[in-house]
């Protein structure tokens, strides 16, 4: 796969992982690159941000609750924007049910240059299968290898089909089997963080897990993968982190925020990067600090567009429009920095491989 893949991952929920993935996908697309957004979170939050409810009903082939209650006609008109059987869960269903290999699905076109590989709540059923097959793949079992490489191969097919330059992978906040398979498929990992104890603890857990997964995959599994099965190199290079500023509360004063913020560089260097002599004041891995755009989020949700694309017709009037412009500048700078770093790290890892 020639596209550069970036997984957005935080081991602590509620920091804005999906919001960041959604806005980065739109901004990178605005910069002229082809983007494939992939929803590998079984909660399917990225899918719900990108598609309206009627489209998701079509996608998941679920009849409306109004139909079930007998209030509406069963033959509801389709939106025509999406078709059923086009989620990641649909792609891996043959493996889950033991009927075959992955069934590649066609991404949904959101706008020119931006596609979505939708998620589904059904993806959670794949967790146990991935968990069981992980250690079986250590013995070179072909079926287990097909299972553990399933996400990589589905993403690879989708990226090639739309000629994507960038793949952004949204995952849930845990270190389970689904996220392990998702992260193994990524060239690099971008971490959104909050300046609090939970994010620091999440980084402490994530770093050792990434190194263990990379080591096991490269040393044990990858040498046994048959030539006919496409397998990822499991780079998972830490790209850096983005601080997501919280809304300040009376019970969480600015001093507390600053105290946790100061600890992040050391924890990131020691836990995530594995530096033996981490510097406490070396903050060059912080790619950006994004302010809290709470006032824009409801408008963006109603308009079904990114916050930085809000217009006066969407309710962004007066000073709010200046806030939109600030949002645009911050996300554009973030997107440019992420793209530069991702390409540099992929090139360096490729040379090392």
């Amino acid at each position: 796969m020639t596209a550069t893949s970036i997984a957005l991952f935080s081991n602590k929920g509620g920091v804005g992982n999906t919001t960041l993935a959604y806005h980065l996908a739109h901004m990178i697309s605005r910069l002229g690159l082809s983007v494939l957004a992939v929803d590998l979170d079984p909660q399917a939050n990225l899918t719900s941000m990108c598609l309206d409810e009627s489209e998701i009903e079509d996608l998941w082939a679920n009849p409306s609750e109004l139909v079930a209650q007998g209030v509406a006609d069963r033959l509801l008109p389709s939106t025509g924007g999406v078709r059923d059987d086009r989620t990641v869960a649909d792609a891996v269903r043959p493996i889950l049910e033991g009927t075959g290999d992955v069934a590649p699905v066609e991404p949904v076109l959101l706008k020119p240059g931006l596609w979505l590989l939708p998620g589904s709540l059904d993806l959670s059923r794949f967790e146990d299968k991935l968990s069981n097959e992980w250690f079986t793949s250590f013995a070179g079992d072909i079926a287990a290898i097909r299972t553990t490489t399933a996400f990589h191969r589905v993403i690879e097919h989708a990226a090639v089909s739309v000629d994507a330059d960038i793949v952004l992978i949204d995952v849930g906040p845990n270190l389970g089997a689904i996220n392990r398979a998702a992260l193994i498929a990524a060239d690099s990992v971008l971490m959104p963080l909050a300046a609090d104890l939970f994010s620091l603890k999440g980084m402490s857990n994530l770093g050792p897990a990434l190194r263990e997964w990379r080591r096991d995959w490269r040393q044990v599994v990858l040498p046994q993968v048959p030539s006919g099965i496409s397998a990822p190199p499991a780079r998972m290079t830490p790209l850096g982190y983005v601080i997501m500023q919280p809304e300040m509360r009376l019970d969480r004063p600015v001093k507390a925020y600053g105290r946790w913020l100061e600890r992040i560089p050391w924890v990131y260097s020691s836990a995530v990067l594995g530096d033996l002599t981490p510097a406490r004041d070396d903050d060059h891995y912080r790619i950006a600090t994004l302010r809290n755009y709470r006032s824009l989020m409801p408008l963006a949700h109603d308009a079904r567009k990114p916050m930085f694309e809000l217009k006066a017709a969407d309710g962004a009037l007066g000073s709010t429009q200046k806030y939109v412009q600030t949002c645009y500048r911050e996300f554009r700078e973030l997107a440019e920095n992420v793209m530069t770093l991702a390409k540099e790290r992929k090139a360096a890892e490729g040379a090392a491989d």
Side-chain angles (χ1 to χ4, degrees), residues 19-56:
T19 299
L20 182 59
Y22 175 81
H23 285 83
L24 260 183
H26 278 270
M27 181 55 76
I28 294 173
S29 174
R30 288 177 68 99
L31 295 178
L33 297 174
S34 297
V35 181
L36 173 66
V38 181
D39 191 352
L40 291 184
D41 181 358
Q43 295 298 312
N45 290 322
L46 181 60
T47 300
S48 67
M49 289 188 73
C50 293
L51 304 175
D52 64 36
E53 196 167 299
S54 61
E55 289 175 316
I56 294 175

Side-chain angles (χ1 to χ4, degrees), residues 60-83:
W60 292 351
N62 287 337
S64 167
E65 287 299 316
L66 296 178
V67 174
Q69 297 170 24
V71 177
D73 185 71
R74 183 169 298 277
L75 298 176
L76 292 174
S78 170
T79 63
V82 299
R83 299 193 305 272

Side-chain angles (χ1 to χ4, degrees), residues 4-265:
T4 299
S5 57
I6 305 170
L8 286 86
F9 178 76
S10 173
N11 198 26
K12 188 257 184 189
V15 299
N17 199 84
T18 300
T19 299
L20 182 59
Y22 175 81
H23 285 83
L24 260 183
H26 278 270
M27 181 55 76
I28 294 173
S29 174
R30 288 177 68 99
L31 295 178
L33 297 174
S34 297
V35 181
L36 173 66
V38 181
D39 191 352
L40 291 184
D41 181 358
Q43 295 298 312
N45 290 322
L46 181 60
T47 300
S48 67
M49 289 188 73
C50 293
L51 304 175
D52 64 36
E53 196 167 299
S54 61
E55 289 175 316
I56 294 175
E57 280 187 354
D58 292 343
L59 182 71
W60 292 351
N62 287 337
S64 167
E65 287 299 316
L66 296 178
V67 174
Q69 297 170 24
V71 177
D73 185 71
R74 183 169 298 277
L75 298 176
L76 292 174
S78 170
T79 63
V82 299
R83 299 193 305 272
D84 58 7
D85 298 329
R86 289 178 64 176
T87 72
V88 178
D90 295 317
V92 302
R93 183 171 291 115
I95 290 180
L96 181 61
E97 297 178 349
T99 60
D101 201 357
V102 291
V105 294
E106 179 185 351
V108 175
L109 177 63
L110 301 178
K111 68 176 188 178
L114 177 58
W115 289 265
L116 170 71
L117 197 54
S120 169
L121 274 65
D122 290 341
L123 188 60
S124 60
R125 298 171 53 211
F126 200 42
E127 183 88 37
D128 288 343
K129 180 75 171 179
L130 283 168
S131 180
N132 294 334
E133 299 288 49
W134 173 250
F135 292 105
T136 306
S137 68
F138 288 11
D141 183 87
I142 302 301
I145 290 174
R146 290 188 185 278
T147 299
T148 53
T149 60
F151 287 158
H152 162 74
R153 291 183 291 131
V154 170
I155 293 171
E156 182 178 55
H157 180 275
V160 171
S161 71
V162 300
D163 195 21
D165 299 308
I166 301 295
V167 176
L168 295 179
I169 306 171
D170 184 41
V171 298
N174 63 74
L175 294 174
I178 284 179
N179 281 2
R180 178 173 56 203
L183 291 170
I184 283 174
D187 294 318
S188 55
V189 181
L190 176 64
M191 301 177 192
L193 301 174
D196 58 28
L197 171 63
F198 302 98
S199 283
L200 267 65
K201 181 62 177 176
M203 282 195 293
S204 299
N205 294 335
L206 175 60
L210 288 179
R211 290 191 290 275
E212 179 185 351
W213 295 344
R214 185 187 300 112
R215 182 188 65 245
D216 289 346
W217 184 258
R218 289 186 165 186
Q219 296 180 7
V220 181
V221 182
L222 201 55
Q224 304 183 73
V225 177
S227 59
I229 300 178
S230 177
R235 294 189 178 99
M236 297 182 284
T237 306
L239 197 62
Y241 56 90
V242 177
I243 301 296
M244 312 292 282
Q245 285 188 336
E247 180 186 13
M248 293 302 175
R249 305 185 318 231
L250 293 178
D251 61 341
R252 190 176 185 277
V254 175
K255 286 186 178 180
Y257 171 81
R259 184 175 71 250
W260 293 115
L261 191 64
E262 291 173 354
R263 299 185 187 184
I264 290 177

